[in-house]
């Protein structure tokens, strides 16, 4: 009888959480480097330009993390 190999599924879940953790650390670093609270500026003051910049930042960091994890 064939056994199901769960190692690739486990690796995918592990690397997904690792990538999310790295992304959150990068966000906290950028939040500390900027002079204003970015989330407050985006949510409360409706700063669309800052939202676009942070969206691009998150996509860019995600692509870098994905490439680094994938190899």
């Amino acid at each position: 009888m064939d056994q199901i190999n769960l190692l690739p599924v486990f690796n995918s879940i592990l690397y997904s959480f690792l990538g999310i953790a790295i992304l959150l650390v990068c966000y906290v670093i950028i939040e500390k480097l900027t002079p204003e609270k970015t989330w407050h500026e985006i949510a409360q003051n409706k700063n669309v330009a800052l939202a676009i910049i942070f969206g691009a930042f998150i996509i860019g960091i995600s692509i870098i993390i994905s490439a680094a994890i994938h190899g």
Side-chain angles (χ1 to χ4, degrees):
M1 183 172 245
D2 292 328
Q3 288 185 336
I4 298 174
N5 189 3
L6 294 178
L7 186 61
V9 174
F10 176 73
N11 286 340
S12 294
I13 292 171
L14 177 70
Y15 287 134
S16 296
F17 283 122
L18 179 66
I20 291 170
I22 293 170
L23 182 65
L24 289 175
V25 168
C26 290
Y27 174 76
V28 169
I29 290 170
I30 294 296
E31 184 72 30
K32 296 290 183 189
L33 291 176
T34 55
E36 301 206 9
K37 299 288 184 191
T38 55
W39 186 251
H40 178 266
E41 187 70 25
I42 292 170
Q44 300 295 325
N45 298 340
K46 309 273 191 259
N47 191 338
V48 177
L50 186 61
I52 292 171
I53 294 296
F54 257 72
F57 161 75
I58 289 176
I59 290 171
I61 294 296
S62 297
I63 290 170
I64 292 169
I65 293 169
S66 170
I69 289 174
H70 188 300

